[in-house]
Amino acid sequence: MYQAPRGTQDILPEEARYWRFVEEQARRWALRFGYGEIRTPTFEETSVFSRGVGAGTDIVEKEMYTFKDKGGDELTLRPEATAAVMRAYLEHGLHNRPQPARLYSLASIFRYDRPQAGRYREFHQFNVEAIGELDPLLDAEVVRLLWQFLAGLQLSGLSVQLNSIGCPQCRPGFLAELVRAYEQHLAAVCPDCQRRIRVNPMRMLDCKNAQCQPAIEAAPRTMDSLCSECAEHFQRVRTYLEAVEVPYQLNHRLVRGLDYYTKTVFEVWPAVAGSQASLGGGGRYDGLAEQLEGKPTPAVGFAAGLERIILNLKSQNLPVPALPGVEVFLAPLGEAARVAAFRLADDLRVRGVPSVTGAGERSLRAQLRHADTFGARWAFILGDAELATGEVTVRNLATSEQVREPRDRAVERVLEAREGRA
Ligand code: AMP
């Protein structure tokens, strides 16, 4: 039998309420912060990501779903949203509007990664970007938005990890110092870090291998070598975060996987942190627009992973609102009754009542069992006797009480009972 491709999952109706809840909360907070929705294509020209995200990153080196289409164009399923949103910002001249452009999206993301708990090849992100302004208020604003969104889901035990990784002015000095410090430990660190020291030395700092921990402990800290502009920016971000009481922890090992970050970087971790644990993360990326052949354009944003958030909602047993269910199950007996039931269900739906008609030739018992699996409140039974008088038998499925009455009256009964409950 066929199976969904490795690293992907089907979301069945019983899971839908988690998705709806998380997506609605994301939209609610984005709108409350004044962010407008943007939807970009599922795939882009490959160079949007190879140039935007940066060679030497895991995403570009190993994880992209890249293909040539039938016309010979090199395309890639988006392995992250930010570069695509920046491409859209530049293409549509959003810099001509009042700045910053505040944008959010909910999108599927594709990475050819090794699947495991909380790590998929297709997953979904809530993505937020404030583009076109260097103000540290915006760094704090997006952290606050992420925090409100997660706290609004009632998730507990979360922490904000915060760092600044400098800019093209101060980072080269830091990297030289980092490489010097690491050279003394080179024999002891893992093969990945022996390679990273050449291609992406910053990434040595978030290596999870035990043998690399002593070198990381001894390594210099980005925060200690920020230029005065980056240091002041970071101090102001902290002041804003403190003003709205976002509890953050400074974390000098937080460097993030993508090349385009400058200055502020952050992640939100659940209580039990691990390499696959981060619920969301982001930072400032003032260099990205130029990588995509745009004018220098400061920007800051984050992405939060919906699958991981839902895993945490479940492990913390948090309440998630039920979706509106079926209220009336129409059980026809015979073909003539089925036509009448089909019409009556239509009336109910037009008047706002979710209703389902029994399909297939089934006994009344079987149909009532089916009604129970929907959690329906009412069954409308239509047999020959009801057909002859234009009536319907209304069964209250909670109490098993039944009355036979004209169809209009039955619809009124359902509507009145709903109002009583509302
Ligand atoms: P990133 O784009 O790597 O900064 O990731 C942002 C967020 O997306 C992470 O904090 C995770 O919540 C989520 N995420 C990243 N990679 C995966 C993956 N392979 N599977 C599921 N969620 C992921």
Side-chain angles (χ1 to χ4, degrees):
M1 205 192 300
Y2 282 116
Q3 291 186 340
R6 200 161 125 74
T8 68
Q9 30 175 15
D10 299 310
I11 296 161
L12 299 179
E14 56 270 26
E15 288 286 298
R17 66 197 176 110
Y18 287 95
W19 288 86
R20 285 281 292 272
F21 179 54
V22 172
E23 288 169 359
E24 274 166 18
Q25 291 293 321
R27 289 181 195 285
R28 161 179 302 176
W29 284 109
L31 294 175
R32 258 188 219 176
F33 275 74
Y35 286 67
E37 182 170 4
I38 183 165
R39 300 188 190 210
T40 64
T42 306
F43 52 83
E44 296 276 343
E45 236 176 87
T46 295
S47 57
V48 168
F49 302 114
S50 56
R51 301 185 58 164
V53 177
T57 59
D58 285 352
I59 288 185
V60 172
E61 278 189 352
K62 302 188 263 189
E63 297 175 2
M64 295 206 300
Y65 280 91
T66 294
F67 59 98
K68 234 188 209 105
D69 73 5
K70 291 188 170 29
D73 288 340
E74 280 280 351
L75 300 169
T76 293
L77 300 184
R78 70 181 154 226
E80 61 114 42
T82 302
V85 171
M86 182 59 91
R87 193 269 309 140
Y89 172 94
L90 296 170
E91 177 177 342
H92 301 287
L94 298 190
H95 55 274
N96 294 321
R97 303 183 187 178
Q99 299 296 288
R102 289 180 163 92
L103 303 167
Y104 86 89
S105 59
L106 286 160
S108 48
I109 305 290
F110 306 85
R111 292 184 193 166
Y112 186 77
D113 203 341
R114 199 161 45 83
Q116 50 186 278
R119 196 204 271 167
Y120 307 94
R121 289 181 173 173
E122 180 185 16
F123 59 99
H124 298 80
Q125 284 184 343
F126 170 39
N127 182 261
V128 164
E129 322 284 355
I131 307 179
E133 181 59 68
L134 184 57
D135 194 333
L137 176 143
L138 295 170
D139 308 41
E141 178 176 290
V142 297
V143 174
R144 181 63 176 158
L145 203 173
L146 175 57
W147 185 252
Q148 287 282 33
F149 161 59
L150 294 172
L153 299 170
Q154 314 294 331
L155 288 170
S156 57
L158 306 182
S159 69
V160 177
Q161 306 289 312
L162 185 71
N163 194 13
S164 173
I165 57 171
C167 68
Q169 298 305 315
C170 49
R171 198 180 306 158
F174 169 75
L175 290 178
E177 210 187 314
L178 179 66
V179 167
R180 260 201 310 282
Y182 251 77
E183 271 162 355
Q184 299 165 22
H185 300 273
L186 211 54
V189 299
C190 73
D192 275 346
C193 284
Q194 289 174 356
R195 199 177 60 88
R196 285 179 185 132
I197 196 167
R198 280 176 284 114
V199 295
N200 197 347
M202 194 91 107
R203 290 303 308 277
M204 299 186 300
L205 291 174
D206 70 353
C207 182
K208 304 292 184 297
N209 283 332
Q211 71 194 95
C212 297
Q213 301 313 306
I216 294 171
E217 280 311 311
R221 303 174 172 214
T222 53
M223 270 180 245
D224 296 333
S225 49
L226 298 179
C227 62
S228 58
E229 185 200 311
C230 286
E232 195 212 325
H233 187 98
F234 195 50
Q235 187 48 53
R236 288 175 61 198
V237 173
R238 294 178 60 181
T239 304
Y240 287 118
L241 288 176
E242 283 155 25
V244 289
E245 291 169 15
V246 171
Y248 66 83
Q249 291 167 5
L250 294 180
N251 181 344
H252 69 277
R253 299 176 53 167
L254 189 71
V255 293
R256 311 267 310 138
L258 317 184
D259 266 6
Y260 52 56
Y261 287 111
T262 49
K263 293 189 167 68
T264 318
V265 291
F266 58 91
E267 285 187 2
V268 173
W269 291 356
V272 189
S275 56
Q276 253 64 65
S278 149
L279 298 184
R284 182 161 277 289
Y285 50 94
D286 296 339
L288 174 60
E290 284 159 277
Q291 295 292 315
L292 298 180
E293 297 172 351
K295 287 194 314 198
T297 310
V300 61
F302 70 77
L306 305 192
E307 281 79 359
R308 287 194 199 162
I309 290 169
I310 289 172
L311 285 171
N312 276 268
L313 285 175
K314 289 181 178 171
S315 67
Q316 294 190 18
N317 274 321
L318 290 169
V320 168
L323 295 176
V326 167
E327 289 177 40
V328 181
F329 188 94
L330 294 98
L333 300 165
E335 180 54 26
R338 214 169 6 225
V339 176
F342 195 67
R343 267 192 62 180
L344 191 50
D346 210 52
D347 267 6
L348 285 160
R349 294 178 194 128
V350 168
R351 301 186 70 169
V353 184
S355 305
V356 155
T357 311
E361 297 288 344
R362 300 235 157 67
S363 70
L364 181 59
R365 259 175 70 108
Q367 297 201 60
L368 292 179
R369 264 203 311 274
H370 194 177
D372 275 337
T373 66
F374 278 109
R377 187 165 183 211
W378 311 96
F380 278 16
I381 302 163
L382 281 143
D384 291 339
E386 288 85 353
L387 270 188
T389 56
E391 291 177 312
V392 59
T393 295
V394 178
R395 183 179 174 95
N396 180 325
L397 289 166
T399 62
S400 302
E401 284 167 312
Q402 294 192 173
V403 287
R404 206 162 114 184
E405 60 190 0
R407 290 176 196 160
D408 289 351
R409 176 69 208 115
V411 172
E412 287 306 322
R413 174 188 294 280
V414 168
L415 292 171
E416 281 162 19
R418 290 182 111 209
E419 265 164 36
R421 254 198 316 196

